[in-house]
Amino acid sequence: MQGQLIERPKSDEVREYKMLIGGEWVDAQSGKTFETINPYTGRAWARVPEAGEEDVDRAVRAAREAFDEGPWGKMTGTERARLMRRLAELIAENADDIAVVESTDNGKLIREMGGQLNALPEWYYYFAGAADKIQGETIPSHNSNFFVYTRREPIGVVGAIVPWNSPLLLLTWKLAPALAAGCTFVAKTAEQTPASTFEFAKLFEEAGFPPGVFNVITGYGSTTGAPLVRHPGVDKVAFTGSTETGKQVMKDAADHLAKVTLELGGKSPNIVFEDADMEAAANGVVAGIFAATGQTCMAGSRLIVQESLHDELVERLTEKANSIKLGDPLDEETEMGPIAFKEQLDKVQGYINTGQEEGAQLKYGGKPPEAPELQDGFFMQPTILTNVDNEMTVAREEIFGPVLSVIPASSEEEIIRQANDTPYGLGAAVWTKDVQRAHRVAHALKAGTVWINAYRAVSFTAPFGGYKQSGIGRENGLESLKEYTQVKTVWVELSGETRDPFTLG
Ligand code: NAI
Ligand code: MG
């Protein structure tokens, strides 16, 4: 659909963005800005304010004021839901244009972004539907003189820190439940991909939310992200990013005991048993590691395959990798776009080299493609490493790129052991036609999400989050509302009598 609010990027433009704080579009107080790069052309295409500590403070104050004093705090769930549905309509009207902006900023395929942005309104509809169903309980008291009930109240000001791989989707996983709960919000976008969130903020304004409910700032991790986490006015930090940064965020939040949800890295096993539907499994492996150029927290980066099937599956994957069409992310035909920024490309190449040094065999890919039209972009070939041992660096660390590590294994027991032998626990998949085995293995895997004969399915209705070092808390589903509310217990004395002041209860 075509809306009026979002302008598609033009080829030679460098557009200027401002931040939204307390309902006003503002520059950084220092006047500092930085450029954001189109990873397909390698050229700057937008310029954004670089927020410093003083801007963080201003944004948190605006959110605090909107929460404590503004009309938002007095609205009912039904009233908040009305605004959320209006926002959802505006997103739907402008989805195709925002998709182009996001794709220009992070190089993600328009093929995927179009779908993602067109699905985005559903998150706001779903959580709008939940906004007036956030309810407490009446609690039976041990003492008949008391009437006890709970209220589920909003946690307050949320500081959200989002990475570059799916900026608006990962923002929405936080924002939609936070709005339903009645929180106010400061979003810190990733420094590499701030543009689509600024565009989204226009829709938010247009929807008619009171000023200060949603504020957007951008800047670097240490000078914008960290001050936001440490700000005493932030009641809850919602973070998606690397495990390393997540640990730092949790430490910083601990200084003022802000609540945290952390959606972190993964090294997710994609397990193929010998009785699997081979073609479906091969497609699932491609979806798990080459879709989105492997830049997803849930990437199925370890293929654990039963030995008897190994050679045949690897051959099929190699053929599939060979046929993947690399190119312009804005071209609907393209299947793999560039890596989002140069440093990330260098990092991916480094891992591929390390893998080979440690004894993995390069079966396919392993370097940037040679096609002349791909030389400006940050491209990497889809890469398959075989003979990987679970102890190797490429099997232990999150690469966040299109690099598949193939680990052969024998029995079901051995496969489960290998799959769980990782510090992470975000996703996992099991490919088999044996329904008993499918559930048995799904139950044994230590991961927040297990797909059976599928990969990379997510929904607003279904909780998503990590076991072990993949995170804390859950996003999506009614489960996520708990992360943005807190319980207040109210005691009402019914008898009207005076009580002995020196007893409890
Ligand atoms: P990162 O985790 O450092 O950055 C994510 C977000 O956190 C960005 O908005 C960043 O500005 C912010 N940030 C950084 N340091 C911070 C701090 N001390 N306090 C508060 N906020 C802070 O990830 P980055 O640097 O973008 O990528 C590094 C690696 O992390 C990637 O190579 C990839 O392996 C992994 N990664 C994993 C993601 C996931 O969803 N699992 C998402 C993005 C990156
Ligand atoms: Mg970083």
Side-chain angles (χ1 to χ4, degrees):
M1 240 188 265
Q2 286 276 105
Q4 271 79 54
L5 288 163
I6 313 285
E7 245 184 273
R8 291 194 179 196
K10 297 178 197 66
S11 62
D12 52 353
E13 125 193 88
V14 177
R15 63 171 58 173
E16 307 261 338
Y17 284 106
K18 288 184 190 293
M19 303 187 285
L20 180 65
I21 299 182
E24 286 172 36
W25 295 98
V26 298
D27 293 316
Q29 287 171 65
S30 66
K32 281 195 202 164
T33 60
F34 63 94
E35 286 177 332
T36 158
I37 310 289
N38 175 338
Y40 177 62
T41 62
R43 286 200 304 271
W45 78 281
R47 175 169 282 285
V48 296
E50 182 188 331
E53 209 160 334
E54 59 289 355
D55 303 296
V56 171
D57 183 56
R58 189 168 163 190
V60 174
R61 280 173 194 279
R64 189 82 259 163
E65 200 182 313
F67 185 78
D68 290 336
E69 290 152 42
W72 180 251
K74 297 183 186 64
M75 281 186 194
T76 64
T78 308
E79 290 165 328
R80 292 195 302 274
R82 208 171 286 141
L83 289 168
M84 291 174 72
R85 285 193 296 270
R86 178 73 190 121
L87 174 64
E89 285 164 14
L90 287 164
I91 298 169
E93 283 164 24
N94 294 278
D96 292 347
D97 295 327
I98 312 184
V100 174
V101 170
E102 194 157 298
S103 191
T104 304
D105 215 13
N106 77 348
K108 216 156 158 158
L109 297 189
I110 195 65
R111 192 161 159 165
E112 174 168 358
M113 287 316 310
Q116 236 186 56
L117 269 296
N118 279 293
L120 209 65
E122 298 301 340
W123 264 263
Y124 294 94
Y125 285 125
Y126 176 85
F127 284 100
D132 55 7
K133 298 168 193 70
I134 300 172
Q135 52 203 24
E137 296 177 315
T138 56
I139 309 288
S141 170
H142 71 286
N143 179 334
S144 62
N145 284 341
F146 283 108
F147 167 49
V148 185
Y149 64 95
T150 60
R151 285 164 53 78
R152 204 161 256 287
E153 298 187 343
I155 235 165
V157 174
V158 175
I161 296 174
V162 182
W164 40 268
N165 50 325
S166 271
L168 278 180
L169 185 71
L170 297 173
L171 173 77
T172 292
W173 289 11
K174 300 162 182 55
L175 180 60
L179 293 173
C183 296
T184 60
F185 208 90
V186 178
K188 202 292 275 177
T189 67
E191 54 272 35
Q192 300 87 353
T193 59
S196 56
T197 308
F198 287 126
E199 299 286 357
F200 172 85
K202 295 182 192 164
L203 308 181
F204 204 92
E205 284 283 278
E206 180 71 16
F209 286 86
V213 172
F214 178 63
N215 307 275
V216 188
I217 57 178
T218 194
Y220 298 99
S222 57
T223 47
T224 314
L228 179 60
V229 175
R230 290 198 292 254
H231 199 295
V234 168
D235 300 304
K236 190 235 153 82
V237 178
F239 174 83
T240 301
S242 62
T243 291
E244 195 191 343
T245 302
K247 288 178 187 173
Q248 188 58 48
V249 163
M250 192 163 173
K251 285 180 194 154
D252 287 347
D255 279 341
H256 61 116
L257 280 177
K259 320 281 181 285
V260 291
T261 42
L262 305 171
E263 297 288 353
L264 308 175
K267 197 72 204 177
S268 300
N270 209 343
I271 299 169
V272 183
F273 284 102
E274 57 196 357
D275 66 347
D277 174 334
M278 172 101 95
E279 182 56 18
N283 261 329
V285 174
V286 169
I289 193 66
F290 298 138
T293 318
Q295 302 172 109
T296 71
C297 51
M298 65 186 99
S301 49
R302 285 185 301 148
L303 168 60
I304 304 182
V305 52
Q306 220 161 8
E307 270 156 356
S308 57
L309 195 71
H310 176 276
D311 294 355
E312 206 183 331
L313 183 61
V314 167
E315 278 321 310
R316 202 172 285 211
L317 288 169
T318 306
E319 281 165 31
K320 285 186 184 293
N322 186 40
S323 72
I324 291 176
K325 190 171 178 305
L326 276 65
D328 181 350
L330 291 179
D331 181 344
E332 289 281 351
E333 299 291 303
T334 301
E335 295 173 324
M336 231 175 84
I339 286 182
F341 51 102
K342 177 71 169 61
E343 293 79 0
Q344 186 64 21
L345 173 62
D346 296 343
K347 181 176 161 181
V348 171
Q349 182 72 72
Y351 274 116
I352 296 170
N353 299 346
T354 303
Q356 289 170 269
E357 283 154 26
E358 292 181 6
Q361 197 185 328
L362 181 66
K363 177 69 184 155
Y364 189 82
K367 57 184 193 313
E370 276 156 20
E373 71 276 14
L374 301 179
Q375 297 312 306
D376 292 338
F378 309 133
F379 284 92
M380 174 55 73
Q381 292 178 316
T383 296
I384 301 175
L385 295 171
T386 54
N387 282 345
V388 175
D389 176 294
N390 214 24
E391 298 307 313
M392 291 179 187
T393 308
V394 289
R396 300 217 76 79
E397 297 183 12
E398 182 176 53
I399 298 175
F400 224 68
V403 183
L404 181 68
S405 295
V406 185
I407 303 168
S410 50
S411 64
E412 181 179 312
E413 204 183 0
E414 164 69 3
I415 287 173
I416 293 169
R417 196 191 59 72
Q418 298 252 30
N420 286 335
D421 176 20
T422 168
Y424 294 112
L426 194 59
V430 188
W431 298 86
T432 174
K433 285 187 193 139
D434 178 340
V435 71
Q436 290 160 319
R437 167 178 270 171
H439 290 282
R440 196 165 60 226
V441 175
H443 295 188
L445 290 170
K446 293 189 173 61
T449 295
V450 179
W451 293 282
I452 296 175
N453 297 328
Y455 208 91
R456 231 179 147 230
V458 292
S459 168
F460 40 92
T461 64
F464 181 83
Y467 277 33
K468 299 193 274 183
Q469 294 194 28
S470 287
I472 293 178
R474 291 293 175 269
E475 299 195 312
N476 298 333
L478 295 179
E479 191 73 22
S480 66
L481 283 170
K482 294 182 191 156
E483 313 282 1
Y484 294 92
T485 54
Q486 52 194 341
V487 172
K488 177 181 282 171
T489 306
V490 182
W491 291 73
V492 188
E493 214 285 337
L494 296 175
S495 74
E497 284 164 14
T498 308
R499 302 175 59 248
D500 175 356
F502 302 107
T503 64
L504 174 74

